[in-house]
């Protein structure tokens, strides 16, 4: 074997170590905290994740899930302004801005007035902000936290809103809406002009990036939609870990991070149990990474919820106790209430049954933004 060949093989072996993703965390012991006010909030949204989805995840796993570990549980009602069945845009807009709006609308109320989101308010008072998603970064759920557009499909306009947002850390698909646009603007370059280090799936694996000396970071995981977990996507738990650690390092005042497990919804729309179980397990591993940080940090409020249920999932009788028979009643969303899980300072605010818009107000109350805005 030539030296050249040996070097090549050695590089291959080493690169496989380097591209390792984070190992799943065993269930963590959640200490109760005596700290009264959270410095950080991590809001985790399992898109399409209703109680059946959570139940299936818990029954399916041999080891305890992270989601079953939360001390506080509430329920949210998800209907949009004029429809018992919400879509992701109206659902996330309610959570992000406290406004019930029409389906397909992002960050605007029913008369198309713009409302600042909790992420934008956090940014305004000097907190670090971030978004991690397994959808395009311009998808309806993440977009509701930084964009204000009449239709969720206005991806290029939504991308422009991201440029204006000041978000410090983002990971998601949708590269094409930034650098291959109909208006031929190059938002990739515009982001770099604003001080971002931007990278993508073509240039390098997320796991190879060292974030030690960056202050604003964006990573595109796909041109449009990222891959499903079972076809090779590996980044959700890793990006969640990177997100909390990056924002914690650069933001003395604290941070607000949104993490979306988007493809729980896609799998349920497609009525595919195996795809769904892989996605919710991946999301649960991301929850593990966030809880690991929160236990260490003690000043982080972690909230896990969904925006609506998808598929009308039922857990039906199966031949064996341990075998799951998941079936779906439709290929769309349903109106069932959605569980809300919370841990950390002010977690108790999330007890009870309330509208999805209340989540926005509870997060503001936790950060004491109510007091700030009334003294303005
Ligand atoms: Zn949704």
């Amino acid at each position: 074997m030539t030296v050249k060949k040996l070097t090549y093989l050695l590089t291959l072996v080493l690169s496989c170590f380097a591209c390792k993703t984070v190992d799943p965390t065993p269930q963590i012991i959640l200490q109760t905290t005596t700290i009264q006010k959270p410095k950080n909030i991590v809001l985790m949204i399992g898109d399409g994740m209703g109680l059946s989805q959570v139940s299936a995840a818990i029954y399916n796993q041999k080891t305890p899930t992270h989601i079953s570990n939360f001390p506080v549980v509430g329920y949210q009602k998800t209907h949009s302004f004029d429809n018992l069945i919400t879509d992701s845009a109206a659902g996330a807009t309610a959570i992000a801005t406290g406004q019930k709006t029409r389906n397909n609308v992002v960050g605007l109320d029913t008369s198309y007035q713009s409302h600042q989101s909790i992420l934008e308010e956090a940014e305004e008072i000097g907190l670090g902000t971030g978004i991690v998603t397994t959808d395009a970064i311009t998808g309806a759920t993440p977009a509701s936290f930084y964009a204000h557009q009449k239709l969720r499909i206005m991806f290029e306009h939504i991308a422009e809103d991201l440029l204006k947002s000041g978000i410090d850390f983002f990971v998601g698909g949708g590269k094409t809406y930034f650098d291959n646009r109909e208006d031929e603007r190059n938002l990739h370059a515009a982001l770099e002009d604003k001080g971002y280090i931007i990278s993508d799936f073509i240039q390098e694996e997320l796991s190879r990036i060292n974030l030690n000396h960056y202050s604003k970071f964006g990573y595109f995981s796909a041109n449009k939609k990222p891959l499903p977990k079972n076809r090779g996507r590996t980044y959700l738990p890793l990006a969640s870990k990177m997100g909390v650690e990056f924002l914690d390092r650069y933001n003395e005042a604290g941070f607000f991070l949104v993490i979306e497990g988007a493809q729980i919804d896609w799998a349920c729309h497609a009525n595919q149990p195996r795809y769904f179980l892989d996605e919710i397990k991946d999301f649960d591993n991301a929850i593990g990474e966030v809880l690991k940080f929160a236990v260490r940090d003690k000043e982080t409020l972690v909230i896990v919820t969904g925006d609506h249920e998808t598929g009308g999932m039922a857990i039906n009788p199966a031949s064996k106790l341990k075998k799951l028979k998941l079936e779906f009643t439709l290929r769309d969303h349903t109106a069932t209430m959605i569980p809300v899980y919370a841990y950390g300072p002010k977690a108790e605010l999330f007890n009870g049954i309330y509208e999805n818009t209340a989540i926005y107000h509870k997060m503001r109350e936790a950060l004491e933004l109510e007091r700030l805005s009334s003294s303005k």
Side-chain angles (χ1 to χ4, degrees):
M1 192 183 286
T2 62
V3 174
K4 207 172 167 189
K5 265 189 184 165
L6 241 173
T7 320
Y8 173 72
L9 276 177
L10 196 65
T11 320
L12 262 185
V13 171
L14 286 176
S15 66
C16 281
F17 279 114
C19 65
K20 206 168 146 276
T21 53
V22 294
D23 290 326
T25 314
Q27 200 180 46
I28 299 148
I29 298 159
L30 299 181
Q31 277 100 359
T32 48
T33 174
T34 50
I35 290 162
Q36 290 300 307
K37 176 185 177 289
K39 184 177 163 193
N40 316 309
I41 293 185
V42 183
L43 172 64
M44 304 187 70
I45 301 177
D47 206 301
M49 189 180 77
L51 190 52
S52 291
Q53 279 80 1
V54 174
S55 311
I58 291 173
Y59 298 150
N60 183 55
Q61 268 188 229
K62 291 184 189 78
T63 52
T65 53
H66 297 291
I67 203 163
S68 58
N69 201 3
F70 281 83
V72 173
V73 184
Y75 286 98
Q76 51 144 321
K77 294 185 260 181
T78 64
H79 69 87
S80 63
F81 172 72
D82 56 355
N83 200 321
L84 181 62
I85 313 289
T86 190
D87 80 326
S88 293
T93 296
I95 294 171
T97 72
Q99 298 291 318
K100 290 267 186 189
T101 194
R102 294 188 173 85
N103 287 353
N104 295 310
V105 175
V106 170
L108 304 173
D109 66 16
T110 53
S111 37
Y112 298 127
Q113 291 299 304
S114 183
H115 288 263
Q116 220 179 11
S117 76
I118 180 85
L119 182 145
E120 291 168 312
E121 290 174 276
E123 183 67 36
E124 197 174 270
I125 62 161
L127 303 195
T129 53
I131 297 182
V132 171
T133 179
T134 52
D135 190 0
I137 195 73
T138 49
T141 304
S144 298
F145 288 84
Y146 64 83
H148 306 275
Q149 299 293 340
K150 287 183 181 173
L151 288 175
R152 57 185 285 176
I153 55 165
M154 297 167 76
F155 298 126
E156 293 197 0
H157 289 83
I158 290 170
E160 285 170 50
D161 285 347
L162 180 81
L163 183 66
K164 290 182 235 159
S165 69
I167 288 173
D168 301 289
F169 178 96
F170 69 85
V171 177
K175 179 177 184 287
T176 193
Y177 308 117
F178 292 79
D179 64 4
N180 188 21
R181 296 164 55 88
E182 270 174 35
D183 67 7
E184 294 183 357
R185 280 182 67 195
N186 185 347
L187 299 193
H188 185 133
L191 281 165
E192 286 175 339
D193 288 345
K194 289 205 160 193
Y196 285 85
I197 299 296
I198 300 291
S199 187
D200 61 55
F201 68 104
I202 298 164
Q203 295 183 49
E204 57 198 332
E205 291 236 12
L206 184 64
S207 59
R208 289 166 168 272
I209 298 174
N210 180 348
L211 289 177
N212 276 340
H213 43 273
Y214 300 156
S215 61
K216 272 182 187 285
F217 176 75
Y219 183 87
F220 293 106
S221 55
N223 255 329
K224 289 185 175 173
K225 293 181 170 189
L227 289 172
K229 175 76 177 121
N230 61 13
R231 285 178 45 210
R233 190 193 72 239
T234 55
Y235 71 80
L236 182 61
L238 173 71
S240 304
K241 178 177 190 282
M242 284 170 96
V244 288
E245 288 175 357
F246 177 86
L247 291 169
D248 185 49
R249 192 175 324 132
Y250 288 106
N251 299 280
E252 278 290 295
F255 64 81
F256 182 84
L257 172 64
V258 183
I259 297 169
E260 186 201 18
Q263 299 194 28
I264 296 167
D265 176 68
W266 305 357
C268 292
H269 272 289
N271 291 185
Q272 291 177 10
R274 193 64 254 170
Y275 179 14
F276 154 71
L277 287 170
D278 287 339
E279 290 300 327
I280 201 158
K281 188 170 187 181
D282 193 38
F283 185 61
D284 194 62
N285 286 336
I287 295 172
E289 289 303 321
V290 171
L291 287 179
K292 200 159 60 173
F293 170 83
V295 165
R296 201 166 67 222
D297 177 73
K298 299 186 178 69
E299 295 183 283
T300 302
L301 169 61
V302 184
I303 306 152
V304 180
T305 189
D307 52 349
H308 52 73
E309 195 273 346
T310 303
M313 181 191 277
I315 302 173
N316 284 334
S319 49
K320 288 183 189 137
L321 178 65
K322 288 284 178 190
K323 203 165 158 35
L324 278 186
K325 190 178 177 194
L326 304 180
E327 289 178 308
F328 297 89
T329 59
L330 78 175
R331 289 181 180 269
D332 209 336
H333 304 167
T334 70
T336 180
M337 286 195 292
I338 300 299
V340 183
Y341 305 88
Y343 167 71
K346 290 279 195 290
E348 66 282 359
L349 288 173
F350 293 85
N351 269 318
I353 298 177
Y354 39 83
E355 295 289 340
N356 51 4
T357 46
I359 296 173
Y360 164 79
H361 294 288
K362 289 171 191 296
M363 291 190 292
R364 293 192 90 231
E365 190 181 336
L367 288 175
E368 296 180 359
L369 288 174
E370 303 284 353
R371 198 184 302 164
L372 280 180
S373 52
S374 60
S375 64
K376 251 185 196 168

